[in-house]
Amino acid sequence: MFSSKRSLLRGLGALSLVASLGCWEQIDDGQWFPQMKRQPAVQAFEDVGLEDGVAAFTTPEGAVPVGWNAYPDVANLPFAEQEALQNPVPATLASLKRGEELYQRTCATCHGPTGAGDGPVAGPPFGTGPFGLVLPIGGPTSVARNLTDGHIYTTISIGRGRMPQYGRIAPEERWHVVNYVRELNGQGGNQ
Ligand code: HEC
């Protein structure tokens, strides 16, 4: 009875020794389980090296952002090349549908649901037209009619004048918006 109790204790002792040896390498610098802390993530208040107030993050080598294609950064292109960018996305029904969705979600607040420049934030005191806040990009007074696809794409990508950029729309999706703006101008199809 006694001996079996003792062997049980011995067994438990051996087990806990093995278990604690397993944990040994987890103890590092007096800290328990520091792996979660020592990950590549930026720690609170860590100095990441600011360049012009912007953190100089670099993606680890070989990391590929999911769902993004390596598109040329239009901001670095000369103006003439921005203007001449070719629309690689045919204006199919599916493209126009997606373009409409994104346009109504992103652009209509300013440019209005049909592009007339009468979105809710374009009302008084800002107004539309050359001296107002928002330019019409659809309908009879549209300024977009004579703009190239590349110009509209660049406007979305990096903004223009008083318009902020909408780079949050994925590059390939911006062409759907371009196609939809063409549609608002009665210019169905690529230009
Ligand atoms: C916050 C308001 C706002 C939103 C949202 C907005 N725009 Fe604009 N947009 C403007 C203003 C203001 C101008 C006039 C810019 C200028 O000339 O100073 C403009 C001008 C334009 C022009 C004409 C550029 C030119 O060279 O004359 C196009 C094209 C355009 N926007 C497309 C879009 C598209 C597409 C979206 C959605 C992705 C969008 N805008 C979202 C405010 C907005």
Side-chain angles (χ1 to χ4, degrees):
M1 180 74 179
F2 180 70
S3 73
S4 76
K5 205 175 193 180
R6 199 157 66 181
S7 64
L8 183 71
L9 280 175
R10 248 193 231 130
L12 282 176
L15 207 71
S16 65
L17 185 70
V18 169
S20 67
L21 275 179
C23 292
W24 184 250
E25 24 172 34
Q26 316 269 17
I27 308 171
D28 176 15
D29 204 13
Q31 298 186 53
W32 283 84
F33 305 108
Q35 291 90 339
M36 290 296 279
K37 189 161 183 256
R38 299 259 164 79
Q39 53 179 308
V42 176
Q43 305 295 318
F45 304 114
E46 182 181 337
D47 180 7
V48 287
L50 295 185
E51 276 174 18
D52 295 331
V54 179
F57 291 119
T58 47
T59 352
E61 208 178 296
V64 181
V66 177
W68 286 82
N69 291 333
Y71 260 71
D73 185 357
V74 288
N76 294 329
L77 293 180
F79 181 73
E81 283 180 37
Q82 293 176 345
E83 295 291 295
L85 280 174
Q86 290 301 303
N87 185 340
V89 179
T92 59
L93 269 183
S95 166
L96 292 175
K97 198 158 173 278
R98 181 64 183 144
E100 178 177 18
E101 204 176 340
L102 290 166
Y103 175 91
Q104 298 301 343
R105 187 188 300 163
T106 317
C107 321
T109 48
C110 289
H111 290 287
T114 60
D118 56 353
V121 307
F126 304 115
T128 58
F131 302 108
L133 175 71
V134 173
L135 291 174
I137 57 168
T141 54
S142 171
V143 300
R145 193 156 304 164
N146 299 320
L147 301 177
T148 62
D149 279 4
H151 185 97
I152 302 173
Y153 178 88
T154 308
T155 306
I156 301 171
S157 306
I158 59 175
R160 200 177 293 280
R162 293 156 294 161
M163 179 177 146
Q165 53 91 356
Y166 287 91
R168 76 180 76 145
I169 301 175
E172 59 271 28
E173 299 243 273
R174 290 174 211 159
W175 292 113
H176 297 317
V177 180
V178 172
N179 286 337
Y180 186 67
V181 170
R182 288 275 168 246
E183 191 71 6
L184 289 178
N185 286 272
Q187 299 171 312
N190 295 347
Q191 295 290 303

